[in-house]
Amino acid sequence: MKNQHAAAEKFAAEKKKIFDGCEVLTTMRDWVRFAVSLFRRKNLSFGQGTATAYDDALYLVQSALDLPLDGPETFFDARLTANEISRVKDFIARRALERVPAAYITREAWLGECRFYVDERVIVPRSYIAEMIPEKIAPWLGDVELVARAADVCTGGGSLAILLALAFPNARVDACDISSPALEVAAKNVGDYGLDDRISLFNSDVLAGVPAEKNSYDLIISNPPYEPDSIRENLPEEFRSEPAEALFSGADGMGVIRKLLRAAAEKLKPAGVLVVEVGGLQGALEAEFPQIEFNWLETEDASDCVCLIQASSLKKAFAKKSRGKGAAR
């Protein structure tokens, strides 16, 4: 309790210091400019829903003022009330002094046009897969209306599972995560979108905890943890505030992905596909699994970090591995 009290006093003192002389700041434009300068001086890190100090500052000020995220220039020169300025200061101070990701402050994150509730129980959603649903995946599946079953493995707060359900109108979606707290957030988001009747949540290590009768999928997607454990202490503080199990996966980052490939080989329908985001592991994956045909999907920023694998390739690859083990015995 004493430590908490001391931390609160220290935060209050630092907050007072950073806003010293800010009485002249009266408009939204003033406060966005101030926040950008402050965030740059504090050397904050971005990449959890926003890419730059300006993006972060603008988003936080808009959110503090309950303004729509489009067309901010409409309000740039509007004078703020004392209560509004107080709320803006609270948001800016938490971001600058505690290095809390903006999404945890506002309790929301966006993928495209879709808003999701987030808090510290889940990673801030930011998957490249979101930009591929359904346009870049559908051609591998044929008629989207014939997609009957799909799964989102490592669902976190459920954002990709919800995007799947919205894009594939006749699909039932199984959303799996090893974290029970994350699934509580996912349940809120699924309920907010009114999709409780189409999305089922499973506390599961990959697909191991899904009842066998449900395991026959047209499509499996996953944004699994893929960072090696060794980088944990070197990550910026913002990223270390996210759940570790959503980021790290063993010495080489491939622990969950290995499980996923084997599970998908078993659970996909013959014409099904797996779509998985792997970060910078393209070379490592192709070296370890040369028998699998990886199709690398182009992202908006041209990073080859999302692969699509057809069920036929997975089933063939793991059938060979099984025969090889049998021969060795």
Side-chain angles (χ1 to χ4, degrees):
M1 189 66 72
K2 286 184 178 179
N3 289 341
Q4 290 180 341
H5 181 69
E9 285 188 338
K10 180 181 178 182
F11 178 81
E14 290 180 345
K15 180 180 177 183
K16 182 178 180 182
K17 183 178 179 180
I18 64 172
F19 293 123
D20 185 41
C22 287
E23 296 80 9
V24 296
L25 305 182
T26 60
T27 67
M28 179 179 172
R29 186 189 302 274
D30 291 337
W31 282 103
V32 170
R33 200 283 310 158
F34 172 83
V36 171
S37 298
L38 178 64
F39 294 172
R40 287 173 61 84
R41 286 198 304 272
K42 293 291 186 180
N43 197 29
L44 300 187
S45 291
F46 309 100
Q48 294 163 296
T50 60
T52 67
Y54 175 77
D55 293 341
D56 224 45
L58 178 60
Y59 169 65
L60 281 172
V61 172
Q62 286 175 292
S63 297
L65 298 175
D66 293 320
L67 291 174
L69 299 184
D70 55 338
E73 62 279 355
T74 303
F75 306 100
F76 263 6
D77 296 313
R79 293 171 63 86
L80 307 185
T81 68
N83 285 340
E84 288 175 331
I85 289 175
S86 177
R87 184 168 166 83
V88 167
K89 285 181 175 180
D90 287 343
F91 279 30
I92 291 174
R94 287 200 66 201
R95 183 69 183 94
L97 299 178
E98 298 180 334
R99 299 183 72 105
V100 178
Y104 289 162
I105 296 172
T106 63
R107 292 297 194 240
E108 69 173 18
W110 294 79
L111 288 178
E113 300 297 316
C114 294
R115 176 195 175 277
F116 302 99
Y117 173 83
V118 298
D119 61 30
E120 289 83 354
R121 290 172 289 178
V122 295
I123 192 172
V124 178
R126 48 184 180 273
S127 176
Y128 285 103
I129 294 175
E131 70 186 59
M132 299 176 178
I133 301 173
E135 287 81 5
K136 292 186 179 181
I137 298 174
W140 297 83
L141 293 167
D143 189 345
V144 297
E145 295 193 359
L146 297 181
V147 175
R149 297 208 67 87
D152 174 24
V153 178
C154 304
T155 194
S159 55
L160 292 182
I162 289 167
L163 294 183
L164 277 182
L166 296 176
F168 297 95
N170 295 323
R172 296 188 63 83
V173 179
D174 294 338
C176 312
D177 204 283
I178 200 169
S179 166
S180 297
L183 290 172
E184 293 171 359
V185 176
K188 173 175 173 51
N189 282 319
V190 169
D192 287 347
Y193 276 86
L195 291 168
D196 304 81
D197 59 333
R198 292 184 51 215
I199 298 178
S200 301
L201 302 175
F202 295 96
N203 189 197
S204 175
D205 184 1
V206 187
L207 290 165
V210 180
E213 67 271 13
K214 294 181 177 291
N215 289 340
S216 184
Y217 298 111
D218 301 289
L219 171 63
I220 298 173
I221 66 169
S222 182
N223 181 22
Y226 49 70
E227 299 292 354
D229 292 338
S230 59
I231 74 165
R232 184 179 309 208
E233 297 308 315
N234 295 324
L235 282 178
E237 189 172 342
E238 288 89 342
F239 291 88
R240 282 186 278 123
S241 68
E242 294 182 303
E245 66 269 21
L247 292 173
F248 306 104
S249 188
D252 60 2
M254 299 219 315
V256 173
I257 292 174
R258 290 187 184 96
K259 293 181 187 179
L260 177 61
L261 295 179
R262 183 172 291 278
E266 180 184 349
K267 310 301 186 184
L268 281 170
K269 295 178 182 178
V273 299
L274 167 68
V275 178
V276 56
E277 183 169 332
V278 302
L281 296 177
Q282 178 180 356
L285 267 176
E286 292 179 335
E288 183 168 337
F289 299 98
Q291 69 277 29
I292 294 177
E293 184 179 348
F294 294 94
N295 302 281
W296 296 96
L297 304 181
E298 186 177 350
T299 61
E300 288 182 0
D301 66 1
S303 59
D304 291 333
C305 61
V306 177
C307 62
L308 181 148
I309 312 170
Q310 293 177 292
S312 55
S313 178
L314 284 167
K315 292 177 186 294
K316 183 178 178 181
F318 283 98
K320 284 183 178 180
K321 277 182 173 284
S322 297
R323 286 198 296 271
K325 287 182 180 179
R329 288 197 298 270

